[in-house]
Amino acid sequence: MIVMRDIVKIYKNGLLELKALDQVSLTVSKGEFVAITGTSGSGKSTLMHIMGCLDRPNAGEYFLDGEDVLACPEQKLAAVRNCKIGFVFQKFNLLPKLDAQTNVEIPLIYRGEDRSVSRERAARLLEMVGLGDRLRHRPNELSGGQQQRVAIARALIGDPPLILADEPTGNLDSRSGAEIMELFKQLNNQGRTLVLITHDQDIARQANRIIYLQDGRVIPASGGTAAKREVS
């Protein structure tokens, strides 16, 4: 699903240069549940933005589902983001004036899908994530955990092959965070490819494999092997 080779990202501030990513190479297979973790400043967010086609590296190669996305013009990249990637963010990024069902519909609205189709699919996904009775609720009428479930339904509505989750439990209490992680595991068991960005080691250990970043580089896991959990 993901192949990255020798990814370099440099930010410039006047004469100063910050190498946020330094020769990062990694792969994620279809159907994997991978956590990318590291301390603040390790390069996690930068890697997530490049992985999500929200930013471009200064050097390296990136193939997403077999496509050389770095060779794509911006218009094509927008289509890649809309069709191949579902995003789940720490701050939910829901539109406050829209109800849950309409928030979930947004990716299909951008595609120009028939509204009756998008509304029906949004309702089914909200039912799947346990919010079938909250379709007309706006974000401020939902708890943090419920808002994140809306965001997950929105990420799924376009049936993307890849889900990218950036600190998805960071704004949640421990109970809501545990519920969201169980939902991610269910999605992975259904065959979804998930990449989870987190600084929380307890959250990271719930993935099948952990990729560790430090100072913009991939480093070996403690003991030389990546942490894994058994797949039921």
Side-chain angles (χ1 to χ4, degrees):
M1 177 60 65
I2 291 173
V3 178
M4 288 183 156
R5 301 190 186 104
D6 300 323
I7 295 292
V8 174
K9 181 63 181 181
I10 298 172
Y11 293 107
K12 294 184 178 181
N13 183 9
L15 297 177
L16 298 177
E17 289 189 351
L18 171 64
K19 187 174 283 189
L21 296 175
D22 187 5
Q23 303 290 321
V24 169
S25 297
L26 59 86
T27 61
V28 177
S29 299
K30 289 184 179 181
E32 268 200 290
F33 183 6
V34 175
I36 298 176
T37 188
T39 58
S40 179
S42 61
K44 300 188 306 297
S45 295
T46 300
L47 182 60
M48 184 267 185
H49 279 81
I50 292 173
M51 199 174 282
C53 301
L54 299 169
D55 198 2
R56 293 178 183 266
N58 296 90
E61 297 178 307
Y62 176 26
F63 293 87
L64 174 61
D65 201 20
E67 184 169 13
D68 182 359
V69 292
L70 299 184
C72 295
E74 288 300 323
Q75 186 174 2
K76 178 67 182 296
L77 275 184
V80 168
R81 288 192 296 269
N82 185 271
C83 297
K84 292 193 174 184
I85 307 171
F87 293 94
V88 181
F89 297 100
Q90 179 178 354
K91 295 184 179 179
F92 318 133
N93 287 8
L94 302 178
L95 297 179
K97 294 184 178 180
L98 302 182
D99 61 29
Q101 187 174 17
T102 308
N103 264 289
V104 173
E105 284 184 87
I106 286 173
L108 294 189
I109 292 172
Y110 286 157
R111 290 188 196 180
E113 293 277 358
D114 183 271
R115 284 300 300 276
S116 62
V117 173
S118 65
R119 290 191 71 75
E120 190 274 335
R121 181 162 173 76
R124 282 194 287 113
L125 284 169
L126 285 168
E127 180 73 31
M128 186 194 79
V129 300
L131 295 177
D133 59 344
R134 297 288 192 272
L135 272 63
R136 300 292 179 266
H137 287 61
R138 294 183 179 182
N140 66 356
E141 299 171 317
L142 301 170
S143 69
Q146 289 172 333
Q147 290 184 62
Q148 195 61 293
R149 287 173 180 267
V150 174
I152 291 170
R154 180 184 59 194
L156 294 172
I157 196 167
D159 198 27
L162 173 66
I163 302 295
L164 284 182
D166 187 14
E167 300 282 3
T169 63
N171 280 342
L172 305 179
D173 59 48
S174 58
R175 179 178 176 180
S176 296
E179 291 174 350
I180 293 301
M181 289 306 298
E182 283 304 313
L183 181 53
F184 281 138
K185 291 174 189 177
Q186 292 172 22
L187 293 172
N188 180 241
N189 287 336
Q190 295 167 9
R192 300 274 181 180
T193 304
L194 278 85
V195 177
L196 172 69
I197 309 294
T198 182
H199 71 279
D200 188 324
Q201 295 299 303
D202 290 334
I203 294 294
R205 279 191 287 269
Q206 297 182 58
N208 298 122
R209 179 163 62 97
I210 303 176
I211 296 172
Y212 294 90
L213 285 183
Q214 181 176 301
D215 299 327
R217 288 178 170 268
V218 175
I219 63 170
S222 177
T225 58
K228 296 183 179 181
R229 64 176 175 87
E230 293 296 323
V231 180
S232 59

